Structure formats: structure tokens, C-alpha cells
Amino acid sequence: MGNTNEMSMEFDSRSCNEGFARVAVAAFITQLNPTLEEVSDVKTAVSEAITNAIIHAYDKEVKKIRIDCKVVEHEMYVTVTDYGKGIENVEKAMEPFFTTKPEEDRSGMGFAFMEAFMDEVVVISELGKGCAVHMKKKVGVGTSPFM
Amino acid sequence: MGNTNEMSMEFDSRSCNEGFARVAVAAFITQLNPTLEEVSDVKTAVSEAITNAIIHAYDKEVKKIRIDCKVVEHEMYVTVTDYGKGIENVEKAMEPFFTTKPEEDRSGMGFAFMEAFMDEVVVISELGKGCAVHMKKKVGVGTSPFM
Amino acid sequence: MDYRIQEDYLYVFLPTELDHHSTESIRRECDELLYDNEILHIVFDFGETSFMDSSGIGVLMGRYRMISKLGGDVTAIHVNDRVYKILNLAGLHKVMEISQEKIWNKRM
Amino acid sequence: MDYRIQEDYLYVFLPTELDHHSTESIRRECDELLYDNEILHIVFDFGETSFMDSSGIGVLMGRYRMISKLGGDVTAIHVNDRVYKILNLAGLHKVMEISQEKIWNKRM
Ligand SMILES: Nc1ncnc2c1ncn2[C@@H]1O[C@H](COP(=O)(O)OP(=O)(O)O)[C@@H](O)[C@H]1O
Ligand SMILES: Nc1ncnc2c1ncn2[C@@H]1O[C@H](COP(=O)(O)OP(=O)(O)O)[C@@H](O)[C@H]1O
């Protein structure tokens, strides 16, 4: 496991931290020489997961959101974790256009975008305990990491 | 303490993470509407502290570096912590041009730059336990935070 | 945010990053303007927008639902490739005109 | 990194971010070039550099020490305001010429 690099961060679930968290993850993966498109894909997916934690998990109360990010060869792994109310039916939640907050103009496309822009998305949640969104993507193929 | 916002991060002490860590802290404090100069000041100071952890604390072994960042009104607090070999004489270490690695082209200006660019720098270290560099700076005065 | 009203048109000049954080105020301000003025056409100008996530989709869909009840419409202009892809992914091209062209001067 | 040798001049085109990470390779490559060629003047071109910390000071001081033993010199050119401030803070203006002017064409 020589060629791995890890970071994790924890921050207040304030909407003003959404941009910061996207930028931090994007900056961390620059070591893989990602294309602009790949950076946008990762930023969008991370943004969706963080927004869900702020809006759905914590109902806008200020608690903590955690991001774990790992790079192995050309693979990047990112997990967004909250300790909020959890999801009762993950399969249903992940259906495109399904949302429990239509009155707040949520589109129900959050999980759909994560799936569209990442190679793999796995959601683990327990009611009352929180939610962890694990995502994976191959990035910057054709260049060598850790330069 | 309504108007506070916190984040912390931990990452591998690899030199390729220096840029990432600077950008992350800079992105976190954009909420204060800092001037470009203030952003550069903070980036430089953070860069010095992280570089010290990589070179001096861990002698380039890959271990963990921690950053804690807090914003209260217009004040930003950042602490860079390592769990490395520690500093025997902090006062001496902080003297401009003092360095224990001249053979690696260290200039001995690391702490001097932290002090030049931040309002306050406090270094707490115990031999064999590690080192924590606490820094503080007033940022973006004249604008209102948490917009 | 920047807005401009011209007859029954409301122009909304969107920010660089259209996420949940920035959409909160856009939704509020937009709805106040729609309430106070006789608007039939909403034009979202993406000229400055380089980042958008599903929160942006929510704002556009929400405004579309309101205005279409009055017989009005929504248009998205100055859309870059990335935003275009995202709007299409959410199917918005089925309910509104999306233009990538830079023919109109920015800020009109 | 980009280098260029012209008679006894070595031009070093520094990167956007001059930190400990990027200086590792610059030091190594620079010293190889100094070893293999008859260099008397090192010119560090900061034209692309927007970030620098004390690692950059170390590289310049180190090369200055080597070349001044041979009777040579070091110059820093195309330095922006930020970098200028940092070079001065470290007292480098006392041992080398620092030019902020953009008179020379980039990449010569
Ligand atoms: N972290 C979370 N905690 C609790 N519920 C969640 C979380 N993330 C998503 N959900 C639930 O899943 C639904 C679908 O999420 P998503 O596809 O992102 O769309 P949207 O955010 O627009 O509602 C949400 O409406 C919510 O009920
Ligand atoms: N985190 C640390 N752990 C152990 N020693 C340190 C640490 N930071 C600084 N030092 C010691 O303090 C000295 C001065 O540090 P500094 O002013 O940053 O200059 P430089 O990094 O160029 O040596 C270093 O040479 C080193 O001996």
C-alpha cells in the first residue's frame, strides 16, 4: 500500500461550508492529474452528499459532517458521513426525483447525480444513527500519481 | 457563540499534500471575505507549519498532520499539530535563520514568516510527543461574516 | 444576486457557484419579485456560472412550476457545456428552452 | 521544471507554487545542471509564480552560496509584489538583484 494518500475532515453542517468542502476534495485529488471534467464530477457528487447531510440528516441544525478521502493508484474513494436521522428506505431514497422535501425545492436528483458522476455509490444508513455515502471513481488515468 | 464555524482535517505527511492543505484552509476562510493579501498571508503561514511537520517532526516518514480551524466573528484561528519528535527549545527554534537542516536548504525563516503574516503565533511542543502551532489572525474586517 | 425586470420578463443573473448555499437566497428573492410584479417569463442567465448541482435543478423546476400555472415560461441562457449536461440529465430541456449561445450581451 | 542554458547563464523558470514540494526537484535538477555546465549566473524567473514560502528562500540562498564561491551571482526576475515582499523579508535583496519589471519576454 505504498501508493496511497489519505485525508479526512470534519466540519460544521453550515451551508457556507459546501463550497469549502468541494474545493478541499478537489484540491486533494489534483495529485492524480484529473481532467477538468473529472474534477467537476467529483465536486458535484461531494456537493450532493454534503447538501443532503445539511438538509435531510440534520434538518439545518449545526452538527458535524465528516469526509474521508483516499487515493490508491488511479482510484479515488470518498465517504461523506453524517450522524443525523438516517434513511428508512435507501433504495427508495435513491430513485431519481424522489424527495421528502419538495416544499424546499429539492429536486430528488441528489443520489441520481452522485451515481451519474461517480463510478460507484454505496449508501449505508441506520435510522437515528446517520448515513454514510461511499463513492469511488477512477481519475486521471494515463498519468502517474504522486509526482 | 452563534457566529462560529469550525473544521478540522487530518492527512498524510506527504509533500504533495502541502498545496491541498493550504487551499483547504483558504477555502474555509472565504466566508470572512478576506482580501487577497490576507489569503496569501494565511496560506504562507499554514504552508510553513505543515512543511515543518513533514521535514522536522517526521523526518519524511508518512504519519498524520492535523489542522484545526475556527472562525469567530472576524477572527480566524488555525492550529497545525504533529505527533513527531518535538522541539527541545522553542524559543531558539523561533529565532530567524535558526535551522537544524541547513544541508537541506532550509532557510530558518519558517517561524519568522508565520509571525510576520499572522497576528499571533504560539508554539507548544513536548520532546517525543509532537508540536502544535497555534495561529490567529483578524481577517476581512469591514464585511459581515456568515453570508 | 442580480435581477432585472423588463416588461413581463424577470432576468436572474446566477452566481458562479449554484449550490444549496446560494440557491437559498435566490429562491427567496425570486419569489418576492414574482409576487410583486407581473412576470410571465423568467430568464436564468448562467453566463457566470461554472458550478451547479441538483439544488440548481430544484430552483429552476420550482420557478417553472409557479410560472407555468400562469401560462408563462422559463428560459436558461448562456449555459456552458457542464451546466448543459446537468440540465439535460435532469430532463429540464423537456420543459424549458436552454440556450448555450453567447448572442445576448452579458447583463443585456 | 523548465531550464535554459545560454553561455554561462542558467535560467530557472519557477512553478506557480514554490513550496517545499516543488523545491525538492528544483534543487536536485538545478544542482545537476550547475555540476555539468560552466555556469556563473543563475536567473530565477518568477514570471509564473504566485505562491512562495520559506522553502523558496532556501533554494535561492543555497544556489547563491554555491555560485558566489565561484565568483558568480544570482538574479530574481519577473517577481510579483507578494514574492517581492517575501524575498525582502528574508533579506535576499542584500545579496542578489531582484527585478519586478516585465521587460524581458517570458521564456526569453
Ligand atoms: N444524509 C441523509 N440523511 C437522511 N435522509 C437522507 C439523506 N440523504 C438523502 N436522504 C433522503 O433521500 C431523499 C432523496 O435524496 P436526493 O436524491 O439527494 O434528493 P433531494 O436531496 O433533492 O431530496 C431525500 O429527500 C431524503 O429524504
Ligand atoms: N514541527 C516541528 N517538529 C520538530 N522540530 C521543529 C518543528 N518545527 C520546527 N522545528 C525546528 O525548528 C527549527 C526552525 O524552524 P523554522 O523557523 O520553520 O525554519 P526551517 O524549517 O527552515 O528550519 C527547525 O529547523 C527545526 O529544528
Side-chain angles (χ1 to χ4, degrees), chain B residues 15-19 22-23 37 40-44 47-48 51 54-55 60 97 102-107 109-110 112-113 116-117, chain D residues 17-24 27 31 50-63 65 82 85-87 89-91:
Chain B
S15 74
C16 65
N17 289 336
E18 291 163 6
R22 285 195 298 271
V23 168
E37 172 109 24
S40 295
D41 288 352
V42 171
K43 279 173 113 174
T44 308
S47 195
E48 299 297 351
T51 303
I54 294 173
I55 302 180
K60 289 174 192 165
F97 301 108
E103 76 284 3
E104 286 189 30
D105 280 340
R106 300 313 302 166
S107 62
M109 289 299 285
F113 280 8
F117 295 127
Chain D
E17 312 237 308
L18 190 56
D19 61 1
H20 162 244
H21 181 60
S22 62
T23 53
E24 295 274 89
R27 285 171 55 215
D31 291 353
S50 55
F51 178 86
M52 180 175 105
D53 64 17
S54 76
S55 302
I57 302 295
V59 184
L60 266 69
M61 278 308 296
R63 276 1 86 196
R65 273 193 218 100
R82 174 75 191 178
K85 181 173 166 179
I86 291 181
L87 293 174
L89 213 75

Side-chain angles (χ1 to χ4, degrees), chain B residues 52 56-57 82 86-87 93 98-100 106-111 131:
Chain B
N52 279 353
H56 301 301
D82 67 62
I87 304 179
F98 174 84
T99 181
T100 49
R106 300 313 302 166
S107 62
M109 289 299 285
F111 282 127
C131 179

Side-chain angles (χ1 to χ4, degrees), chain C residues 76-89:
Chain C
I77 64 170
H78 300 148
V79 166
N80 76 12
D81 288 348
R82 174 77 191 176
V83 172
Y84 190 77
K85 183 174 166 181
I86 291 182
L87 294 174
N88 274 270
L89 213 76

Side-chain angles (χ1 to χ4, degrees), chain A residues 116-136:
Chain A
F117 295 126
M118 302 295 278
D119 297 338
E120 238 179 277
V121 179
V122 176
V123 180
I124 310 283
S125 183
E126 199 179 322
L127 265 186
K129 289 267 172 76
C131 179
V133 180
H134 303 275
M135 298 183 278
K136 183 179 156 180

Side-chain angles (χ1 to χ4, degrees), chain B residues 63-79:
Chain B
K63 304 247 171 108
K64 294 292 178 195
I65 298 173
R66 187 182 165 91
I67 295 183
D68 290 278
C69 196
K70 188 167 74 171
V71 147
V72 189
E73 305 285 337
H74 281 294
E75 215 78 62
M76 73 90 65
Y77 299 81
V78 58
T79 299

